Amino acid sequence: MFSFFKKDPLKELNKQYLQKLEEAMYAQRNGDIRSYSMLTSEAEDILKKIETMEKPTEK
């Protein structure tokens, strides 16, 4: 009945993805390459989740 109160999971994942990329950028600027690579890897994992959610299911 109140489906408009539900959050869009795809929107939330996009927000997390952009946040991880921003954190990775700041880590790289500070010279922390190890944290940069870990954050970039986490962002790529989130991107894979986004792509699987966006892909239409084939019947």
Side-chain angles (χ1 to χ4, degrees), residues 2-3 14 16 20 26 30 32 36-37 43-44 47 52 54:
F2 293 101
S3 63
N14 279 324
Q16 289 176 2
K20 287 290 181 186
Y26 286 123
N30 289 330
D32 191 359
Y36 166 74
S37 62
E44 289 175 0
L47 182 61
T52 57
E54 287 180 340

Side-chain angles (χ1 to χ4, degrees), residues 1 4 7-8 11-12 15 18 20 22-23 26 28-29 31-32 34 36-37 39 43 46 49 52-54 56-58:
M1 182 174 175
F4 57 88
K7 291 187 177 184
D8 183 18
K11 186 176 179 181
E12 185 67 30
K15 184 177 177 181
L18 292 175
K20 287 290 181 186
E22 185 177 0
E23 290 175 15
Y26 286 123
Q28 185 181 28
R29 284 184 179 177
D32 191 359
R34 184 170 291 162
Y36 166 74
S37 62
L39 289 167
I46 294 171
K49 289 179 186 177
T52 57
M53 290 180 75
E54 287 180 340
T57 57
E58 296 180 17

